[in-house]
Amino acid sequence: MEFNNLRDQNLVREISYSLSRHSGWLKFVGIASMVYGALMAISILGLVIAWLPIWMGYLLVKAANKAKVATAYGDQYALEESLQHIGNYFIINGIIIIIAILAMLFLATAMLFFGLSFDTSAFEGILT
């Protein structure tokens, strides 16, 4: 039974090594995201959405820490938590991208509908 446990720990170490090797970048992006969120909170509109980059940054920092633990101790649960945090980060990021694309499509449609897409009267003196 001891052999299987040691083999499992080595497998976890091997799997988590690459993630752990990049943990510095995970922490950097996470901390930068949290600082960005804190700076966003200074404005009134930013205060409403500042929690998102702070939360996303927190997820990346936790993922980096758990990856280090998984590599150091062969801890399967730490590896699972690290991957879960990274997965949650990408889910949140994906939802933000979908919302941004929908907002751009809505605004482009509204601009075309209301005739605000391009007003050539401002360029009449230049173009002629």
Side-chain angles (χ1 to χ4, degrees), residues 11-28 59-72 75-90:
L11 181 62
V12 168
R13 283 186 181 106
E14 286 179 33
I15 292 170
S16 62
Y17 174 73
S18 181
L19 190 59
S20 177
R21 200 179 73 203
H22 294 92
S23 67
W25 283 108
L26 285 170
K27 284 183 180 180
F28 172 75
L59 289 172
L60 289 180
V61 170
K62 289 292 282 186
N65 292 337
K66 291 295 182 178
K68 285 284 193 186
V69 169
T71 302
D75 186 350
Q76 175 183 347
Y77 298 110
L79 176 59
E80 289 175 10
E81 283 185 63
S82 179
L83 293 173
Q84 185 66 42
H85 290 311
I86 291 173
N88 289 340
Y89 171 84
F90 280 109

Side-chain angles (χ1 to χ4, degrees), residues 26-46:
L26 285 170
K27 284 183 180 180
F28 172 75
V29 173
I31 291 169
S33 181
M34 288 189 278
V35 169
Y36 173 68
L39 292 173
M40 281 178 62
I42 294 172
S43 70
I44 294 172
L45 178 61

